[in-house]
Amino acid sequence: MTTTTLQPGQPLGRTTISPAMQRYPLTQGVNPWLVTLSVMLPTFMEVLDTAIASVALPYIAGSLSASNSEATWVLTSYLVANAVILPASNWFARRFGRKNFLLFCVVIFTIASFFCGAAPSLAVILLARVLQGAGGGALQPLSQSILLESFPVHKRSQAMAAYALGIVVAPVVGPTLGGWLTDTFSWRYAFYINIPVGILAVIMITRFVHDPPYIKNAKVGPFDNIGFGLLIVWTGCLQIVLDKGQEDDWFGAVWVRWAVAALILAFVAWVWRSWFRSRGLLDLHVLKDRNFRTGCFLIALLGMCIYITIAILPLYYQEILGYTAFSAGLVVGPRGIGSFVGSPIIGFLGNKIDPRKLLSVGFVGFGVCSMIFGSVNLNIGPTTLLWPIMFTGFALSFVFVPLATMSTSTIPREEMGNATGLFNMLRNIGGSIGIAMASTALVRRAAFYQTEIGAHLSPSDPALQHKATMIGGYLSHQLGRGAARPGALGLMYGELMQQAALRAYVDIFRWTALLAFFCAVAVWLFKKPEKYVAPPPGAH
């Protein structure tokens, strides 16, 4: 791309800046919305793939002769590789160039997607998922830092609104799209769909994305092998413990205790090294910034709220109400409509209203919706929660965009890649912790309520005997007299378990609401933002 123009008769060394450079100096003459589209394609693809794979797990297990427990490693292996590469993305971007590293990650992710779809065995798909997670881990922080640097400060909220469309909408579209692809074609197409998107992303990034001068001229130290190894140990142990802890009764298992001990030691050593080593893998001194420190705390809690809702609500429709995966995806799909409507609105309001007020409104709205989810029963229909689900997506737009903007508003451009890597890592870790807590609570609260309800039922209870007699009378015509009473008691026990599970879901939704209300108060830990000065005439 030509950035300077030499006029006829003009002395050598005296050049004029082209009109495109004058209009878009931050993107070297490229319209920043073209840059936005270019970097959002791979980010949307990466986030979408996480949600799609979760829907296809039972089909993957059946196709590859694996148990459901073994199939969950398809998710765990991806999350481990993803979490490891996130904090290291800034070093690789500075060492090899951000554009080159982004292209490399997209290519690796796309190739790995093909091998995931073509995998003939569980071992092959696990290896491909590790490779896919390594390629996809850096896509989010790279895209976010490129977007933040492509727009002037007074338009960053618009950039984050576009970014939110990918981050918030993709996990919602994922289950629906994944269910449709799996039911209509095969689970393998849930991975094959990434290939054309990846090719288009490579073409657009090559054409429209350019590295700023500080990236081109960056001088980086040697790779921190020890820091990277410590990062692998503590993130790997964390993901494995969260994923498998409930199955083995958490600290009741010896391996969990050893894994947690290794996690703590590796984490403390990694923090110490990252803080005191001047050129470590990740510079934690960025946490000295109050706004960024507050943002990291809130993004971890937001990750918990989002992923609990995304994982639990479709599960409620499938396990309690008997919906198929595709039907459950359709029911929760309107959340994407709410996000799509809310993102442009927050992009417009971001520079006109104190972001802390927008954050509070968003968290309160999310909390109110979670409270409504906490009033569900066994008689709701597909459209009963339509408006709360849609408003959840709308509220999330009012959370994510101001949160990302406020957290990075006082971060220097040179530290943007370092900050976004840490920011996104904490969101993923928060989401992993939230899913693990929700899964554990579902099992344990359901068992608690089953015991509580069962304590009020006795074989000599007249009401129970009357109910069993009525059901047995009906079943005697279908199963015969000998099987009627056991069948009646079995149906009543199934109803007891269903009621216990329902109350467990209600508890989780209400706890999520309390967490959202806490975040609505915590946003006031941000410093009061300075109002942006209006740009000079003609500036863009």
Side-chain angles (χ1 to χ4, degrees):
M1 176 175 294
T2 303
T3 56
T4 59
T5 304
L6 190 63
Q7 301 297 334
Q10 184 178 8
L12 186 63
R14 295 179 60 189
T15 59
T16 59
I17 300 177
S18 66
M21 274 293 293
Q22 288 180 338
R23 191 174 186 184
Y24 307 117
L26 297 178
T27 55
Q28 301 185 33
V30 179
N31 189 313
W33 290 109
L34 287 176
V35 177
T36 300
L37 181 60
S38 302
V39 299
M40 280 312 305
L41 275 175
T43 300
F44 185 86
M45 174 179 66
E46 189 268 336
V47 179
L48 184 73
D49 188 78
T50 305
I52 284 180
S54 63
V55 175
L57 277 183
Y59 302 89
I60 294 174
S63 176
L64 302 181
S65 301
S67 66
N68 287 333
S69 177
E70 291 173 333
T72 58
W73 284 92
V74 173
L75 295 180
T76 305
S77 58
Y78 179 86
L79 291 174
V80 170
N82 200 286
V84 167
I85 205 65
L86 267 170
S89 59
N90 185 55
W91 188 92
F92 288 112
R94 287 175 173 265
R95 175 63 179 83
F96 301 105
R98 190 165 59 191
K99 176 180 178 179
N100 292 334
F101 183 51
L102 179 60
L103 285 171
F104 177 78
C105 289
V106 175
V107 170
I108 289 295
F109 187 89
T110 306
I111 293 175
S113 297
F114 169 78
F115 284 107
C116 286
S121 66
L122 183 65
V124 173
I125 195 174
L126 291 181
L127 182 62
R129 284 289 282 177
V130 170
L131 185 64
Q132 192 183 40
L139 294 179
Q140 292 184 42
L142 288 176
S143 299
Q144 187 176 358
S145 58
I146 289 172
L147 279 181
L148 288 169
E149 294 181 13
S150 298
F151 288 79
V153 175
H154 60 277
K155 291 187 177 182
R156 279 185 177 176
S157 60
Q158 298 177 13
M160 285 299 96
Y163 185 71
L165 282 175
I167 298 300
V168 177
V169 175
V172 179
V173 176
T176 306
L177 180 60
W180 178 77
L181 288 172
T182 302
D183 291 343
T184 307
F185 302 102
S186 166
W187 64 265
R188 299 181 185 277
Y189 284 86
F191 296 104
Y192 288 151
I193 194 175
N194 293 329
I195 297 175
V197 180
I199 293 173
L200 179 60
V202 168
I203 295 173
M204 295 193 67
I205 292 170
T206 303
R207 178 68 179 86
F208 299 119
V209 177
H210 301 280
D211 285 339
Y214 82 89
I215 290 287
K216 295 179 179 178
N217 303 324
K219 295 181 181 180
V220 296
F223 187 71
D224 186 6
N225 296 306
I226 297 177
F228 191 64
L230 292 171
L231 178 66
I232 291 175
V233 171
W234 80 260
T235 53
C237 288
L238 176 65
Q239 293 291 348
I240 293 172
V241 168
L242 291 175
D243 189 63
K244 296 296 182 182
Q246 170 59 30
E247 296 180 11
D248 291 342
D249 195 29
W250 294 104
F251 288 100
V254 175
W255 76 264
V256 173
R257 295 196 292 268
W258 280 105
V260 171
L263 187 162
I264 294 173
L265 291 174
F267 176 75
V268 171
W270 177 77
V271 170
W272 182 87
R273 187 174 181 85
S274 300
W275 186 269
F276 291 103
R277 184 179 172 88
S278 58
R279 291 186 176 272
L281 189 65
L282 190 69
D283 185 6
L284 294 183
H285 286 87
V286 71
L287 291 172
K288 289 182 177 180
D289 185 284
R290 174 179 164 181
N291 272 14
F292 184 72
R293 185 169 63 248
T294 303
C296 286
F297 172 69
L298 287 173
I299 195 64
L301 297 183
L302 176 62
M304 294 176 66
C305 292
I306 291 177
Y307 281 98
I308 286 175
T309 308
I310 289 174
I312 297 302
L313 192 57
L315 201 61
Y316 167 77
Y317 278 101
Q318 293 180 69
E319 290 197 346
I320 304 300
L321 301 183
Y323 285 40
T324 64
F326 179 52
S327 299
L330 286 177
V331 171
V332 300
R335 183 184 292 153
I337 299 175
S339 299
F340 188 81
V341 172
S343 292
I345 295 176
I346 194 63
F348 174 76
L349 297 177
N351 301 319
K352 303 179 183 301
I353 300 177
D354 187 341
R356 297 176 300 177
K357 295 180 180 179
L358 297 175
L359 278 169
S360 292
V361 169
F363 275 120
V364 169
F366 185 88
V368 170
C369 291
S370 297
M371 289 296 292
I372 296 175
F373 297 154
S375 64
V376 293
N377 54 53
L378 299 179
N379 298 318
I380 67 171
T383 59
T384 303
L385 299 178
L386 173 64
W387 288 107
I389 289 174
M390 187 179 298
F391 190 76
T392 300
F394 187 82
L396 285 176
S397 299
F398 276 68
V399 171
F400 185 82
V401 177
L403 181 57
T405 304
M406 285 285 290
S407 301
T408 57
S409 60
T410 53
I411 299 296
R413 292 185 65 194
E414 292 75 11
E415 292 294 330
M416 196 65 72
N418 182 58
T420 54
L422 180 60
F423 190 78
N424 284 281
M425 182 186 75
L426 290 174
R427 190 195 68 230
N428 280 10
I429 290 176
S432 299
I433 294 174
I435 291 175
M437 292 174 60
S439 300
T440 301
L442 271 180
V443 174
R444 302 202 172 189
R445 297 299 290 178
F448 169 78
Y449 285 123
Q450 183 177 341
T451 303
E452 184 183 67
I453 297 173
H456 298 281
L457 299 177
S458 171
S460 59
D461 186 352
L464 179 64
Q465 291 180 353
H466 177 68
K467 188 74 172 178
T469 302
M470 291 180 60
I471 298 176
Y474 172 77
L475 292 179
S476 63
H477 300 288
Q478 311 295 327
L479 305 176
R481 289 183 178 275
R485 182 171 177 77
L489 294 176
L491 286 175
M492 295 178 68
Y493 179 68
E495 186 175 352
L496 182 152
M497 294 182 64
Q498 189 180 35
Q499 291 287 346
L502 171 66
R503 294 180 66 178
Y505 278 98
V506 167
D507 284 350
I508 293 174
F509 287 133
R510 290 177 178 175
W511 292 342
T512 305
L514 292 177
L515 183 60
F517 292 142
F518 169 78
C519 291
V521 178
V523 299
W524 295 94
L525 293 173
F526 280 116
K527 291 181 180 179
K528 185 176 182 179
E530 298 180 3
K531 291 186 177 181
Y532 298 130
V533 179
H540 295 268

